[in-house]
Amino acid sequence: MFEGIAQGFQVAFSWDAILFVFLGVLIGTIIGMIPGLGPISAIAIMIPVTYGMDSTIALVMMAGVYYGSMYGGSTSSILLNAPGVAGTVAASFDGYPMSQQGKAGKALAISAIASFVGGTVSVILLMMFAPILASVAIIFGPPEYFALMLLGLTAIASLSEGSTIKALISAVLGFMIVTIGIDSQTGTSRFTFGSVNLLDGIDFLIIALGVFAIAEVCFLILNRKEKMSGLDNIGSLKLTKQDFNEMKGPMTRQSFLGFILGVLPGAGATISSFVAYISEKKLAKNPEEFGKGSIKGLTGPETANNAATSGAFVPLLSLGIPGSGTTAVMLGAFLVLGVQPGPLLMTENPTVFWGIIASMYIGNVFLLILNLPLIPYFVKVLKIPRPLLISLVIISSLIGVYAVSFSTFDLYLLVVFGILGYFMRIFAFPAAPFILAFILGGMMENALRQSLTISGGSWNIFLTSPLAMSLILLTALAVIIPAWRDRVKRKKEQQPPVSM
């Protein structure tokens, strides 16, 4: 492990890595500040930009965009009460009241320091636990892999916000789309409807840009709002000794809690930040201060959401299973760049595994530097006219898709999936299970076929393997428990009030 860490830092401290980590966190910070454009869209747009680049450097940059967006999202939450990223919504509960009290500078400084601590502690935990998981995961065969991917997909569908049924429908739709094209084992065409353009299947980039970026553009166009104005005066960034004393407890607790929640499929930065806010309010001696500019109320969520961002890399790097929509797109980026995340990544491609982890240390330092002295300049980004932002996203998406295949048919598909993504958002069908099913669908099908080939067509192979059986039982629980809770909740709502 120590040899791998040394190798990772050797990669991270190369001039190329330092430059691209800086670019990644800078882009992530700016994108995070702009409401309506999150890290998923940013990473999807950047995938075609990284073609031809060294895979390690490209992935280091995209990881920087991911955790950099959490820092940037706090700026618009605190200054404008308009979160740029879902994971920073809880930061506005106390951050925005502080800015209204003339303490915007202090709130931004608290956010930057808490984010730095949460990110750094979680990277240390990532360095410790990812190799352990990877070493355990080597015992996985095709049946275990199929059961694990089924669990990951079911968990993210069950834990998605809103209806579990809608999440599962999204996942099934993703499975259906990934089957389009020539079957790799039999050579027969599936669901091509006689079109030559569909023989190679549908590229991941079209799905990612359509469902996220183009759908977001449709939503922004059809839901126009007044142009938001930034703040010209943010006040002092100085923190007192008393402020630091108030921050110590939440930063310590939420660094660990955020990391643990980040590891769980479907939880991620959004849930971590809300859990952190609720738990800090329950532990506080003066809970009535929360929502009125509490330092603890801002420190907790900001620490947790950044810790969860690093935690999300544990299942991605060590098992090849993404736990959220953003890491699902990251998985797609890995595959596009010819890197297969999973148990063998640490041994077959240690420079990528350890390089990404080591680069997070440098990225967090860069983010602290960016988010303290450069805050007054970043505020100006919030004044970008919305029409210009929309145009940039559309042009980047079209160029990105066309540059991959030079096919106008793919541009039509991009529009189709953009419209599909828009309607999924309107009717509250989560996109994360859809994109995850599309990515995992091919691998799940191969694992299932390999398992049945090994067993001579018998499904008992999934019952005779203790690990596969355990994962299947967990999958069943992931479906049953949320459904049971929803049913109990509906029954309680339907019960008439007891009259005295």
Side-chain angles (χ1 to χ4, degrees), residues 295-335:
I295 290 176
K296 291 183 178 180
L298 176 60
T299 305
E302 284 299 275
T303 306
N305 64 20
N306 283 273
T309 302
S310 298
F313 278 90
V314 172
L316 177 64
L317 292 175
S318 59
L319 301 176
I321 302 296
S324 65
T326 310
T327 49
V329 178
M330 278 292 294
L331 174 60
F334 271 86
L335 300 177

Side-chain angles (χ1 to χ4, degrees), residues 346-364:
M346 190 172 67
T347 53
E348 292 182 352
N349 217 332
T351 54
V352 173
F353 185 91
W354 292 110
I356 290 173
I357 294 175
S359 71
M360 291 181 180
Y361 283 106
I362 301 172
N364 275 292

Side-chain angles (χ1 to χ4, degrees), residues 125 255-264 267 272 307-308 311:
L125 295 172
S255 292
F256 290 94
L257 180 62
F259 178 81
I260 292 168
L261 290 174
V263 172
L264 300 176
S272 299

Side-chain angles (χ1 to χ4, degrees), residues 414-479:
L414 178 67
V415 174
V416 169
F417 282 104
I419 296 169
L420 174 65
Y422 173 74
F423 281 110
M424 286 176 69
R425 180 166 178 173
I426 292 297
F427 293 106
F429 283 85
F434 172 79
I435 198 79
L436 189 55
F438 179 82
I439 292 170
L440 295 180
M443 292 186 284
M444 286 182 71
E445 183 183 7
N446 287 335
L448 178 63
R449 283 179 161 182
Q450 288 169 0
S451 301
L452 293 176
T453 302
I454 292 169
S455 65
S458 173
W459 291 86
N460 289 333
I461 191 170
F462 296 104
L463 303 177
T464 53
S465 166
L467 186 54
M469 186 63 186
S470 302
L471 291 170
I472 290 169
L473 287 174
L474 288 174
T475 302
L477 289 174
V479 175

